[in-house]
Amino acid sequence: MNGSKPKKVYFYGTCLVDLFFPDAGMAGIQLLREAGVEVVFPEGQTCCGQPAFNCGYWEEAREVARTQVALFPQDLPVVLPSGSCAGMMKVHYPELFHGQPDEAKVRAFSARVYELTQFLVDVLDVKLKDLGEPVKVTWHSSCHAVRDLGLKGEPQALIGQLAHVELAPLTREHECCGFGGTFSVRQPEISAAMSCDKAADAEATGASVVLSTDGGCLLNVNGTLEAKNSKLKVQHVAEFLWERTRAR
Amino acid sequence: MHAETEVHFRDAAAKALLDPQLRANFRRAMDGLITKRKAQFPDPRDLQDLRDLSTAIRSRSLLNLPELLEQFEANCTKNGIKVHWAETCEQANELILGIMQAKGAKTLVKGKSMVSEEMHLNAFLESKGIEALESDLGEYIIQLDGETPSHIIMPAIHKNKDQIARQFSQKIKDAKYTEDVDELTAMARKVLRQKFLDADAGLSGVNFAVAETGTLCLVENEGNGRMSTHVPPLHIAVMGLEKVVARLEDVAPLYAILTRSATGQAVSTYFNMITGPRGAGEKDGPQEVHLVILDNGRSRIYADPQLRATLRCIRCGACMNHCPVYTRVGGHAYEAVYPGPIGKILTPQMEGVGVRHDLIHGSSLCGACGEVCPVEIPIPEILVRLRREATHEDLGSTVAGKGTGRTATEDWAWRLWAGVTKRPVLYRIATWFATRFGKALPAGAPLIKNWTQSRTKPVPARRSLSERMRAEGGPHA
Ligand code: SF4
């Protein structure tokens, strides 16, 4: 990319965003377009393969991963509205394909992968203008976004650009919300205990929205808050940012 | 086996979750330990430097393990320490019994040693008519109740002051009920003091074993370790074979990061270095020192370059202190000697990945353990590796019980998943159904039932992102 900002990127929706948070996906695409980037959304996207990878079924994960890598042939950045799936593609694909005939090809793909907020801050250096009403939000760190992918506060930096948004710190921000993919159904009792604590911590901040960069965490915390009829809502950070910066 | 044990951890954990006292005890204790550790590392760069150094020392020690063990044994022998090797826990137990019998020893006072827990030494000795008394306060407390440690550093952390007060008043002779911590400690001390004086033998673990000098290093806070190793005429130390480091200078950084990671202390109250029995003209110390070095699956773990990282562990307990699962269910739910994240990778490697399939899957893979571990053991990666091992016989490894955790249902489910997910057309049909009829799925369906125990049912959006992008007719490839 020679230091200049890319004009064109691929967008990878991820299965959870595709199915449960399409608005977040659309918002991510709009944010990129707003920053002057052309967005290519290849047909045939399914899943990054993380569930099978994490459960030890690597052959199955590889079969699926191969079909996904093939969708992004050009040397363009691949942007994902998910820290977890970005971490899978960027960090774990090279592990998954270690010693495979197509390892080099996959590594080249992995090197082009970015999480959305990472791309907006680190590559595009976007400046957001807040057009919304004053609001208080809190931030839940996705474990995989921070610990696998190595996100370094990019989402918070973007939220910080919004003049009328107060970011209330979440106690134990970095503690897992209890989703963990299959963990949530294999260990429902422990997962529930973790989710309920996370929901209670979020409520205690006095914020009206919990933001995160991961569909899994959002689905989990949302389900828990809804089950206890909480007034607190969850929202994907992309959708939140897009709403705030768009004149109504 | 697998289906049975799978429920194991889940059931034990579910039971623990119903105990509000237990949950409160752990949450409070772990939050405290996290805060104390954090205060010891104000500068993240300093922490990383010390971690890098410690990891390098442990990795280097393991790389040269066979040579270092030889050197260590030779130097111990030179120092007058009698070295014994045990491949299994049974052998180690028999060795200790033999050492005691040879000296006519009938009573043993113990410092803290997780390896002796691994061997179930107390029960073994008891069956042979030998009394083994734990002298670490936490260990003493749980021994009174016939329990096992719930934490590798703080064995009685699951109990609060009131519970201990009640227990002491019932189990210690002539003890009156008090909730005063100093008085409670004094009560235990009174019992233990006499035991130190009367015991025929003392037993300890080993934190670091120095090859170049043949020295056993012991980190402790109560002074009971020193009493156990110096007062009785016979001292028996037990250690796992991975504990060796090359040089004396390797110990300082490891010690610094151990106490800080474990209890948030810059140094521990006591640090003992044992280099042999009482010398001629010396006033104290045991007449004989024996060292039992235990394998118990460690050399098999050592043989695998990735799994070998498990043996870097310095048993600080930071991974469990920071684990969201451990914090909520406590140590006993694991039904293993080593609980928490390190236990989740170590226990299956020792006992077999099929047998402890339940532990391998008892993690959300959040990564907090790997992030905090002072010697950078990639615990989540090793967990995933073990999940592979449990379901594959053909990975060319030496892992115990590989392939025995496989079930037909799970196999079939992943194959089906891959079959659909690698074919965009099938996948599109599946998501089309999900978006149209997702709402209609019964909340009581198998996996959904587990999810909806505590959450509302997730409802797919009416139109998926892919559909909307297609409809938008936007730029497609
Ligand atoms: S695995 Fe790491 S954090 Fe856990 S006890 Fe061992 S050294 Fe400490």
Side-chain angles (χ1 to χ4, degrees):
Chain A
M1 276 164 253
N2 306 329
S4 63
K5 291 177 190 173
K7 294 266 170 307
K8 197 167 159 184
V9 301
Y10 284 122
F11 196 82
Y12 189 79
T14 84
C15 58
L16 288 181
V17 167
D18 186 47
L19 208 52
F20 294 102
F21 305 99
D23 288 337
M26 293 304 293
I29 291 167
Q30 302 292 11
L31 283 165
L32 289 165
R33 286 177 178 161
E34 197 72 8
V37 177
E38 186 190 331
V39 178
V40 184
F41 188 89
E43 285 264 3
Q45 304 187 11
T46 61
C47 168
C48 66
Q50 182 169 205
F53 175 82
N54 279 349
C55 287
Y57 285 81
W58 284 24
E59 300 75 29
E60 287 78 359
R62 267 196 293 265
E63 283 175 36
V64 170
R66 276 199 183 99
T67 64
Q68 302 306 293
V69 171
L71 301 173
F72 306 91
Q74 293 178 52
D75 185 20
L76 298 175
V78 183
V79 182
L80 289 79
S82 158
S84 183
C85 310
M88 177 67 199
M89 290 180 144
K90 194 166 193 71
V91 182
H92 297 301
Y93 271 15
E95 253 172 77
L96 181 63
F97 283 87
H98 181 73
Q100 297 288 314
D102 43 355
E103 182 182 350
K105 189 177 145 202
V106 172
R107 276 185 183 277
F109 165 82
S110 295
R112 293 189 271 132
V113 168
Y114 294 86
E115 185 274 336
L116 174 69
T117 62
Q118 201 179 36
F119 194 73
L120 291 172
V121 173
D122 301 346
V123 180
L124 296 181
D125 191 22
V126 297
K127 298 284 172 266
L128 302 175
K129 192 154 172 262
D130 191 2
L131 302 174
E133 297 293 313
V135 67
K136 186 163 157 185
V137 301
T138 189
W139 176 257
H140 163 65
S141 281
S142 137
C143 300
H144 286 178
V146 175
R147 300 197 182 101
D148 275 3
L149 184 66
L151 220 59
K152 291 184 187 66
E154 288 88 342
Q156 293 94 319
L158 288 170
I159 297 166
Q161 290 183 15
L162 303 172
H164 311 302
V165 177
E166 183 194 341
L167 181 58
L170 179 62
T171 322
R172 307 187 186 104
E173 178 196 317
H174 291 97
E175 191 176 86
C176 178
C177 71
F179 178 62
T182 55
F183 174 78
S184 58
V185 289
R186 269 187 201 265
Q187 311 285 348
E189 292 85 7
I190 307 172
S191 172
M194 290 160 69
S195 308
C196 290
D197 290 352
K198 182 59 76 180
D201 284 351
E203 283 180 317
T205 61
S208 54
V209 194
V210 196
L211 299 171
S212 181
T213 177
D214 263 286
C217 311
L218 291 173
L219 208 60
N220 184 40
V221 177
N222 181 52
T224 308
L225 288 168
E226 271 186 7
K228 56 190 235 182
N229 284 318
S230 174
K231 284 203 292 290
L232 185 59
K233 299 284 171 245
V234 307
Q235 198 173 30
H236 192 283
V237 65
E239 198 180 336
F240 178 75
L241 293 175
W242 176 241
E243 275 182 14
R244 299 292 306 184
T245 52
R246 187 178 50 159
R248 284 165 199 269
Chain B
M1 190 89 191
H2 151 213
E4 233 172 79
T5 46
E6 175 97 42
V7 207
H8 230 218
F9 176 62
R10 194 185 141 185
D11 280 356
K15 219 172 104 207
L17 285 166
L18 295 176
D19 181 346
Q21 184 66 65
L22 185 96
R23 275 186 74 175
N25 290 355
F26 272 100
R27 179 92 250 185
R28 194 177 326 110
M30 298 306 119
D31 279 349
L33 287 164
I34 291 172
T35 313
K36 279 166 79 182
R37 172 188 169 274
K38 214 167 158 204
Q40 286 291 340
F41 297 113
D43 183 347
R45 260 186 331 214
D46 287 349
L47 168 60
Q48 196 48 49
D49 287 349
L50 191 55
R51 278 180 95 204
D52 289 346
L53 181 59
S54 307
T55 306
I57 292 172
R58 288 299 297 138
S59 302
R60 196 169 8 87
S61 309
L62 289 173
L63 203 62
N64 305 318
L65 188 63
E67 298 81 36
L68 287 180
L69 279 171
E70 260 177 55
Q71 189 193 2
F72 175 61
E73 181 183 22
N75 284 326
C76 282
T77 311
K78 215 188 299 162
N79 296 341
I81 298 174
K82 299 205 173 76
V83 182
H84 314 260
W85 299 85
E87 204 180 313
T88 64
C89 292
E90 293 75 44
Q91 285 173 8
N93 283 334
E94 290 291 346
L95 272 168
I96 290 176
L97 179 67
I99 297 166
M100 290 192 66
Q101 281 170 344
K103 288 281 281 183
K106 287 252 172 290
T107 54
L108 179 74
V109 62
K110 293 177 71 197
K112 201 174 154 1
S113 152
M114 284 309 292
V115 170
S116 77
E117 301 283 347
E118 197 178 316
M119 294 153 49
H120 305 291
L121 175 66
N122 294 2
F124 171 81
L125 290 180
E126 211 172 292
S127 76
K128 303 288 175 192
I130 290 180
E131 184 203 29
L133 184 85
E134 296 290 348
S135 68
D136 171 271
L137 183 57
E139 290 275 359
Y140 175 70
I141 290 168
I142 58 164
Q143 192 181 31
L144 277 183
D145 265 357
E147 288 185 312
T148 54
S150 62
H151 189 287
I152 63 171
I153 300 284
M154 290 146 292
I157 197 83
H158 55 289
K159 292 182 187 284
N160 64 16
K161 194 178 57 183
D162 307 358
Q163 290 166 317
I164 294 164
R166 232 174 301 130
Q167 184 198 2
F168 274 22
S169 68
Q170 287 161 8
K171 304 238 160 122
I172 299 180
K173 213 166 96 211
D174 302 331
K176 61 172 196 342
Y177 184 88
T178 171
E179 285 173 18
D180 185 289
V181 175
D182 291 335
E183 281 185 52
L184 286 169
T185 314
M187 266 184 223
R189 180 180 291 143
K190 206 168 132 216
V191 176
L192 292 169
R193 270 287 144 96
Q194 199 53 50
K195 296 283 182 183
F196 289 128
L197 294 171
D198 296 345
D200 301 323
L203 184 130
S204 71
V206 176
N207 288 95
F208 313 111
V210 185
E212 70 172 357
T213 54
T215 306
L216 314 176
C217 303
L218 228 82
V219 181
E220 57 143 343
N221 272 323
E222 297 170 13
N224 69 303
R226 208 171 50 154
M227 299 286 273
S228 307
T229 56
H230 278 64
V231 181
L234 173 63
H235 171 208
I236 305 167
V238 287
M239 63 177 245
L241 56 73
E242 80 280 17
K243 286 278 154 137
V244 70
V245 295
R247 295 172 310 225
L248 213 46
E249 66 186 67
D250 291 338
V251 172
L254 292 178
Y255 174 56
I257 207 161
L258 169 64
T259 58
R260 284 176 168 85
S261 306
T263 49
Q265 292 169 282
V267 286
S268 58
T269 318
Y270 296 89
F271 182 73
N272 306 301
M273 299 175 91
I274 299 166
T275 317
R278 179 194 302 200
E282 284 177 4
K283 290 214 171 62
D284 65 356
Q287 289 143 14
E288 267 183 39
V289 179
H290 292 258
L291 172 66
V292 176
I293 303 178
L294 176 67
D295 185 332
N296 191 26
R298 288 167 172 83
S299 52
R300 196 181 50 232
I301 300 172
Y302 171 79
D304 190 290
Q306 186 189 21
L307 302 177
R308 184 183 297 167
T310 313
L311 301 179
R312 289 209 292 258
C313 179
I314 54 172
R315 305 283 191 265
C316 70
C319 55
M320 45 201 85
N321 300 348
H322 289 73
C323 175
V325 173
Y326 177 91
T327 301
R328 290 188 173 77
V329 303
H332 287 152
Y334 295 78
E335 299 185 29
V337 172
Y338 301 96
I342 181 62
K344 275 179 198 163
I345 59 169
L346 190 56
T347 311
Q349 292 188 70
M350 282 177 170
E351 295 177 15
V353 284
V355 188
R356 293 320 304 260
H357 203 261
D358 60 330
L359 290 184
I360 304 174
H361 284 282
S363 164
S364 72
L365 297 182
C366 77
C369 49
E371 182 179 66
V372 77
C373 175
V375 286
E376 301 187 326
I377 302 174
I379 299 175
E381 271 161 62
I382 293 181
L383 271 176
V384 172
R385 164 77 189 278
L386 295 177
R387 288 177 182 184
R388 288 183 75 201
E389 294 286 351
T391 47
H392 294 77
E393 272 176 60
D394 48 358
L395 296 177
S397 67
T398 56
V399 174
K402 59 184 173 177
T404 54
R406 200 173 188 113
T407 62
T409 328
E410 213 176 288
D411 247 19
W412 175 83
W414 285 117
R415 231 173 297 146
L416 180 73
W417 171 85
V420 174
T421 311
K422 71 181 177 187
R423 292 182 182 83
V425 177
L426 287 186
Y427 192 80
R428 205 198 289 178
I429 295 170
T431 49
W432 189 89
F433 271 96
T435 47
R436 267 51 176 195
F437 303 108
K439 232 188 181 132
L441 268 181
L447 293 175
I448 299 185
K449 193 174 77 197
N450 285 359
W451 174 273
T452 51
Q453 274 185 18
S454 62
R455 311 168 184 90
T456 55
K457 193 169 54 127
V459 180
R462 286 220 305 285
R463 270 179 354 142
S464 70
L465 176 66
S466 314
E467 260 183 274
R468 288 170 65 171
M469 287 307 285
R470 259 196 307 279
E472 192 201 48
H476 289 224

